[in-house]
Amino acid sequence: MVLKKQFSFSKQLLKSIWYTFQSGINLFTLLKSVRNSEHSYLNDGNRKINYAQLYHDSFSVIEKLRTFHSNQIDDQVVLLADNSFDFIKYLFALSALTKEIVIISPHVSENQLETILQNYRSTLIITDHIQRLKNINRQSNCYSFDEINSYNPHVATKRFKRNNGKITILSTGTSNMPTPVERKLNITKIWNPFIELISRLELLRYSSCQITVPFYHGYGLASLVLALFLKQDIHFTGKFSSKVIAQSIINNRIDCLVILPAMMTKIIAADYQALGICKCLISGGDKLEPTWVSFILNQYPTTKIFNLYGTTELGICSIATQQDLIMNNSTIGRFLKGIKYRLQENQELQIRCPWIQDRSKRQYLSTGDFIRMDKNGLLYYLGRMNDSSNIGGHIVHGDELAKKITAYPSIIEARVIIYKNEILTPELRLKLTLKNDAVFDQDDFKNWLDKTFPKYLQPKSIDYSFK
């Protein structure tokens, strides 16, 4: 069975390379190369479509976009949406038409979104949150999926030219504001990590996957693209629900579960048996607690677990295999081939590798992390260099967040405390010092927090006292 998949993989690889000469290096070219895989499908929990139908639907979107707003799609288009078939179709269609797709999470705060959209005043924005954007942006360059889907082009699309596009994901960075992270589909640069991911994670052994991470997150998007290339059955949901995902695992006998560590504990709580059905768990985007590694190894002996470590700019840097985690449950594994590294005296990790975009290959970049390497070559994450922490795959800067919270009229001082709850998931606590004569309404304050900061920066508890 594995030999058959290896042959199929080699054939698929050659086919993809051939299509890049015809259509350019983009995601639509990838979809074109797998469109005849009629038995492979995508399933959002409500509807199932095979790869052939996805290709047909994506091509239909191309026809609509080329006549609907052809003058606005050449250089840059913003895609702001949750996981859905529409997101996937438009992602692949746009990759054939535009030089750059900018992907933005629809769950940034209202103030953040308003600031972000100032950089895209003349850019076409396609979304499933149309009313929210029109209230904020108040411009005519925003369109919903439904508006474009209902459009009927009058002429058939002519053959379109080759397009080598790029994808920019607005990821969390400094100042608790999304920062652009560019991903170019350069085959020569991503070859090593691509092949090593497939090899170390043993992905050719699996026929289906459940992606629980949003596609607007780099980890989720990479999982979608890789699963499609491997012609796996892809299961996903619009929004995370531990009960829905646990049921999907059981009903569909999912082979591979792509997940954030915080989601893992919730799925166990929803249905204890679910993870035992999976052949492998791939954890990434946040620290995987050693306690949970040991729990998985002991409670689900037939389920392999892998732990991925990476940075916002570089993507995945190291992989801990099942055998690595058996040796030490806190390891983040070993570097991918091609990565050159420096561990400074203070254990700061600096890296250079061929797939850093638009930077000199000779330049070492700081990851902002403290890392230790043992005598066996296994790596261990020791924490961040600054006051930042990773919460659910998002970088949180506690001091900067506290400073911004003091902008609220009645607050003199704010302290952001990051703690681990009973299932070892990091959460935020807020301690406020108020002016003596202040009138403080906690509901009004929570509404202000909701408007000013995204969901992952909302505190689980708020304590306050007067000066």
Side-chain angles (χ1 to χ4, degrees), residues 447-464:
N447 288 335
W448 179 81
L449 286 175
D450 187 58
K451 183 179 179 181
T452 309
F453 303 106
K455 187 176 180 180
Y456 68 89
L457 290 180
Q458 301 303 316
K460 290 294 179 181
S461 66
I462 300 172
D463 296 323
Y464 62 90

Side-chain angles (χ1 to χ4, degrees), residues 196-408:
E196 201 162 2
L197 272 173
I198 293 171
S199 174
R200 283 212 217 172
L201 299 176
E202 303 174 6
L203 294 180
L204 294 182
R205 294 180 178 273
Y206 315 127
S207 300
S208 64
C209 70
Q210 178 91 40
I211 301 173
T212 65
V213 187
F215 300 146
Y216 54 74
H217 193 292
Y219 178 33
L221 184 64
S223 301
L224 171 66
V225 173
L226 187 56
L228 194 87
F229 183 87
L230 296 174
K231 298 186 281 191
Q232 294 183 350
D233 297 335
I234 302 170
H235 299 259
F236 66 94
T237 55
K239 294 180 180 178
F240 177 79
S241 166
S242 56
K243 290 182 179 179
V244 170
I245 290 170
Q247 199 60 51
S248 175
I249 292 170
I250 293 168
N251 292 345
N252 299 295
R253 313 299 294 181
I254 299 295
D255 287 343
C256 178
L257 183 66
V258 178
I259 197 164
L260 293 169
M263 296 174 174
M264 198 178 297
T265 56
K266 294 176 181 177
I267 292 174
I268 292 171
D271 193 313
Y272 184 83
Q273 305 298 325
L275 295 188
I277 290 171
C278 300
K279 292 179 181 177
C280 89
L281 309 178
I282 301 176
S283 173
D286 199 353
K287 182 182 178 182
L288 178 59
E289 291 291 337
T291 300
W292 286 108
V293 173
S294 296
F295 180 86
I296 298 296
L297 291 173
N298 292 328
Q299 298 300 314
Y300 307 107
T302 61
T303 302
K304 290 190 175 183
I305 183 169
F306 298 88
N307 187 17
L308 310 183
Y309 163 78
T311 70
T312 300
E313 185 166 26
L314 296 173
I316 297 170
C317 299
S318 71
I319 300 173
T321 64
Q322 171 98 344
Q323 200 57 41
D324 295 332
L325 293 167
I326 290 172
M327 289 175 63
N328 194 306
N329 61 5
S330 62
T331 185
I332 55 171
R334 305 171 197 273
F335 286 124
L336 299 179
K337 289 177 184 176
I339 286 183
K340 305 295 182 184
Y341 67 91
R342 288 175 180 165
L343 283 174
Q344 305 295 342
E345 287 185 13
N346 65 350
Q347 297 184 304
E348 172 198 354
L349 175 64
Q350 296 180 348
I351 280 179
R352 71 178 173 92
C353 66
W355 54 90
I356 298 177
Q357 303 300 331
D358 297 327
R359 289 185 184 269
S360 168
K361 291 181 183 179
R362 296 180 181 178
Q363 182 179 4
Y364 281 85
L365 295 181
S366 174
T367 61
D369 295 330
F370 292 123
I371 299 291
R372 178 176 68 85
M373 180 184 286
D374 70 14
K375 62 182 181 181
N376 297 314
L378 290 176
L379 303 166
Y380 302 87
Y381 175 78
L382 304 178
R384 297 283 295 168
M385 290 175 59
N386 50 30
D387 75 313
S388 65
S389 300
N390 194 322
I391 297 183
H394 301 282
I395 299 298
V396 176
H397 299 262
D399 287 348
E400 292 181 16
L401 178 58
K403 198 176 197 179
K404 290 190 174 186
I405 289 172
T406 57
Y408 194 75

Side-chain angles (χ1 to χ4, degrees), residues 75-81 87 91 94 98-105 116-117 119-120 123-126 166-171 179-181 216:
D75 293 325
Q76 187 184 65
V77 176
V78 170
L79 193 56
L80 189 148
F87 180 100
L91 174 70
L94 288 168
T98 186
K99 293 176 183 175
E100 181 182 21
I101 304 171
V102 180
I103 299 176
I104 303 174
S105 164
I116 292 166
L117 293 181
N119 298 320
Y120 303 102
T123 303
L124 176 65
I125 302 172
I126 303 174
K166 66 180 179 180
I167 296 173
T168 298
I169 298 174
L170 262 66
S171 177
T179 52
V181 178
Y216 54 74

